Amino acid sequence: MTAPTGSAEDRSAGDACDGVGDLGGTQRAEVPTVMIGDRVLAALRRFGRWVAAPVALSLPMMGWFVAFHPAVMTNDSLAIWKQATEDRVVDGGSPLYVSLAWASSLLVGSPWLLIVGQILLLAVAFCEIGRALVRLGVPRWFVWPVTIIAVCQPTVGAFSVQMWKDVPYTACLLLVLASILRLVGARLDGAPNVYELRMLYVAATFAMFFRQNGLLVVVAIGLATIFFLGRPVRRPVLIVLAGAMMTFGVVRVAGYQVAGVEAAPAWLPVAWMASDIANVYESHPETFEPDDLELMSSMLPLDGWLAGADCYTLDFLVYGQPLDTDVLGDRREEVVDLWWEVLREQPGAVLGQHVCAASIAWRPMYVRDSISVMYTVSAGIDPNALQLSTDPLIDDANELALDILRTWDLRTWHWLTWRAATWIYPTYVIAVLLAVRQRSVIWLAPIAPMLAQQASLFVVNPAQDARYMIASLFAAYLLIPGLGFLLFQRRSRWVSAPARVDGAAALEPDDVGTETGDDAPHRGPVEHDEHGERDEPAGPDTEDLVEWPDEFEERDGTVIGDHRRARGGDAR
């Protein structure tokens, strides 16, 4: 047998390719059977991680796909499909989602491929949050049943088959949450790994491409995450999110033009300002001068402004009245000036309008018994001229799904089944209690996406649609039990370091997870595999790790030994 020649790197690369010795292919090295077995097991683990687990979690959602094949399509969905089939993309929505719909039309002539893809993406997002919670110390036997229960919720299943850009957008926000959970663990380990930073960049970038107001959410998430996680990860997170926003900006400015994406209608960016004006005109008509009224009358009679005033939705004004959107677009600069004038003279009324419009973000109960109440999901395909109709793969499945939705969508149950605020507030309480117990604001980082999504709707929110907050609802499904387990578990995996014990210096928030003072436990180097999972430290570092007592001891009311256990001794 001729020994392979070449550099050590070449030989390592050859060994990694299933036993190929010489990269030229003339000789083959003999590989021990045990090495082949290890590689097979590693390949099976990777298959389970990236294929089997997401596919298994997608099965409950696939049941809804079987019931509503090829998709659930509203008027918004039909507009997207029309653009996709006519090769005409408008920047008013998500050109990326229209492109995916075009690909589905080209490959299978139907939107069903797009729906299957977004279901799998949503399943991957749930998987990643589950793995991140396991990495934080929540045991697998607890995480995965909770995750399975979450994806079996009718809210998740019914939402996953809607042909909306909000579905992949929600999946991207959940992946952002997964990366933040991993950053919490990496922050306490010492420094972030490239895996969580890469996931954060990709998820944040695509979130902005799927929904343009995702930019507001990403900015708010970045500010909150940087504040909560502190100095060691501040710079890399800032660089990653700045890179994501730069990518979005460059593609939007230059890429869309090259790709032939049409500009959004001129009236669309100022529609929410017109809604603010209508509501202030209803409550404070004395604010408006004759020239203001002339501007308003040029696009809609003044009676129409009064009839279209509804702080919960701008649809009454834009779609429920004969508003001349062409004039609104042509005189948009004057509309902006009028809005600023109204804001200066009636700031309380404008603020109240935005608080009212953001009811879906903060109010657990429905508003009032009118057509302004929350919209959840549809259950079929709206009438259309595109030859599209619901064609369930199993008729009985369609009937069962409709029966479930009729019960799940009862307005008296909306506070529990569809309103995210009901689930967000317990999540906040648990995160705060966990931060107090661990004495570190780091544990508030997981609620950053929820805070960001709520804050973004106080800026602009067109209607009381459950989909605008559904990412926070899905996140709460996993964070409430996950963080709750960490809160009530007897032993913490992580250093709860701030208390001074026997003369040891207290740790500041930015020092949590670092070695400080003689009392800090010695830990081996933190190593990660290519997916960001921790490897066991090798060599003498492992042998030098301190031993921890099996039982906790109290001294003057201070818990001793409530520090992270040595590697390999994680309580899972």
Side-chain angles (χ1 to χ4, degrees):
M1 178 67 69
T2 303
T5 59
S7 65
E9 290 80 2
D10 291 338
R11 291 193 298 272
S12 298
D15 291 341
C17 298
D18 294 332
V20 177
D22 188 356
L23 295 179
T26 57
Q27 302 289 340
R28 180 175 295 273
E30 294 181 1
V31 180
T33 303
V34 64
M35 184 178 298
I36 296 177
D38 290 343
R39 289 177 181 172
V40 171
L41 291 176
L44 290 175
R45 283 195 296 268
R46 286 193 296 271
F47 176 81
R49 175 184 177 86
W50 297 110
V51 180
V55 168
L57 281 184
S58 71
L59 292 180
M61 291 179 275
M62 288 297 181
W64 290 84
F65 169 72
V66 169
F68 291 109
H69 173 270
V72 176
M73 303 178 71
T74 61
N75 287 330
D76 291 343
S77 311
L78 294 169
I80 291 172
W81 188 250
K82 185 177 180 180
Q83 290 184 43
T85 53
E86 294 180 354
D87 294 335
R88 176 176 175 265
V89 182
V90 181
D91 191 20
S94 171
L96 174 59
Y97 196 70
V98 174
S99 300
L100 295 174
W102 170 83
S104 181
S105 171
L106 182 67
L107 294 174
V108 298
S110 169
W112 72 260
L113 186 60
L114 172 63
I115 302 303
V116 170
Q118 67 186 29
I119 286 175
L120 291 174
L121 180 61
L122 204 55
V124 168
F126 276 101
C127 274
E128 285 301 316
I129 294 177
R131 293 189 181 104
L133 289 172
V134 169
R135 189 170 186 261
L136 281 176
V138 186
R140 289 180 175 84
W141 61 261
F142 183 82
V143 167
W144 296 119
V146 167
T147 306
I148 292 171
I149 292 173
V151 298
C152 287
Q153 296 302 305
T155 306
V156 177
F159 175 73
S160 68
V161 295
Q162 308 288 315
M163 189 178 163
W164 291 337
K165 60 183 180 293
D166 303 87
V167 180
Y169 170 73
T170 296
C172 288
L173 289 187
L174 294 178
L175 288 172
V176 168
L177 171 61
S179 65
I180 291 175
L181 291 170
R182 285 180 169 272
L183 283 170
V184 171
R187 170 67 176 87
L188 296 170
D189 274 337
N193 182 265
V194 66
Y195 179 76
E196 46 260 20
L197 295 175
R198 183 171 55 199
M199 182 193 298
L200 179 61
Y201 170 79
V202 173
T205 301
F206 278 96
M208 290 183 284
F209 280 119
F210 282 120
R211 282 196 69 91
Q212 295 181 14
N213 65 345
L215 176 63
L216 296 176
V217 179
V218 169
V219 170
I221 288 175
L223 294 176
T225 302
I226 290 170
F227 174 77
F228 291 140
L229 291 182
R231 283 192 299 267
V233 299
R234 188 172 295 160
R235 179 173 297 178
V237 169
L238 184 61
I239 291 174
V240 164
L241 292 180
M245 288 183 280
M246 185 176 298
T247 302
F248 172 70
V250 170
V251 173
R252 180 175 168 79
V253 172
Y256 283 7
Q257 186 175 1
V258 173
V261 177
E262 299 179 16
W267 62 269
L268 192 59
V270 296
W272 65 274
M273 293 183 176
S275 179
D276 285 358
I277 292 170
N279 283 279
V280 176
Y281 178 62
E282 180 190 37
S283 58
H284 299 85
E286 71 279 1
T287 305
F288 297 83
E289 301 292 337
D291 57 335
D292 301 331
L293 298 177
E294 184 279 327
L295 172 63
M296 296 165 61
S297 299
S298 68
M299 57 193 76
L300 180 67
L302 295 180
D303 290 343
W305 287 91
L306 293 174
D310 189 313
C311 68
Y312 296 107
T313 177
L314 60 80
D315 288 350
F316 285 174
L317 177 67
V318 176
Y319 302 109
Q321 303 298 322
L323 179 69
D324 192 333
T325 54
D326 291 334
V327 177
L328 177 61
D330 293 339
R331 306 187 68 175
R332 61 186 179 278
E333 294 181 359
E334 297 175 72
V335 173
V336 173
D337 292 338
L338 176 57
W339 183 84
W340 280 109
E341 181 182 339
V342 170
L343 178 63
R344 285 192 300 269
E345 296 187 17
Q346 299 291 342
V350 175
L351 178 61
Q353 148 73 13
H354 283 252
V355 171
C356 175
S359 294
I360 190 64
W362 60 268
R363 189 191 291 267
M365 306 301 291
Y366 68 88
V367 182
R368 53 185 166 85
D369 196 14
S370 73
I371 57 176
S372 294
V373 297
M374 180 179 63
Y375 167 70
T376 56
V377 293
S378 294
I381 298 179
D382 288 352
N384 62 90
L386 301 176
Q387 308 296 322
L388 291 171
S389 60
T390 302
D391 182 23
L393 301 180
I394 302 176
D395 292 336
D396 291 341
N398 180 262
E399 295 177 4
L400 176 61
L402 289 174
D403 289 340
I404 293 174
L405 273 183
R406 289 189 193 99
T407 302
W408 205 254
D409 205 25
L410 288 175
R411 188 174 301 169
T412 53
W413 289 103
H414 277 181
W415 66 273
L416 181 64
T417 56
W418 290 102
R419 284 197 169 269
T422 305
W423 296 76
I424 287 175
Y425 297 136
T427 309
Y428 289 168
V429 171
I430 293 173
V432 169
L433 291 176
L434 182 60
V436 170
R437 182 194 175 206
Q438 298 292 338
R439 300 172 187 173
S440 172
V441 296
I442 291 173
W443 294 98
L444 297 180
I447 65 175
M450 293 181 174
L451 290 169
Q453 198 169 27
Q454 280 186 307
S456 69
L457 294 190
F458 280 93
V459 179
V460 178
N461 182 39
Q464 302 299 303
D465 288 7
R467 54 180 164 167
Y468 297 149
M469 284 297 299
I470 208 160
S472 296
L473 176 62
F474 292 172
Y477 285 165
L478 300 182
L479 288 183
I480 289 177
L483 298 182
F485 189 95
L486 294 176
L487 175 64
F488 292 106
Q489 68 175 347
R490 185 181 180 191
R491 297 174 180 174
S492 173
R493 292 185 59 218
W494 306 103
V495 178
S496 64
R500 178 182 177 88
V501 180
D502 289 344
L507 299 183
E508 297 297 328
D510 281 336
D511 295 326
V512 177
T514 61
E515 317 305 351
T516 304
D518 295 333
D519 290 344
H522 175 71
R523 298 186 297 181
V526 179
E527 300 177 359
H528 300 78
D529 64 15
E530 59 178 330
H531 304 302
E533 298 296 335
R534 297 184 309 279
D535 292 333
E536 300 296 329
D541 292 312
T542 305
E543 299 174 358
D544 295 338
L545 292 176
V546 298
E547 296 292 333
W548 294 94
D550 290 334
E551 300 294 336
F552 288 95
E553 175 186 354
E554 292 191 2
R555 181 183 305 161
D556 299 328
T558 302
V559 177
I560 309 299
D562 189 19
H563 295 277
R564 184 178 177 185
R565 287 178 165 269
R567 288 233 189 261
D570 297 342
R572 294 190 178 183

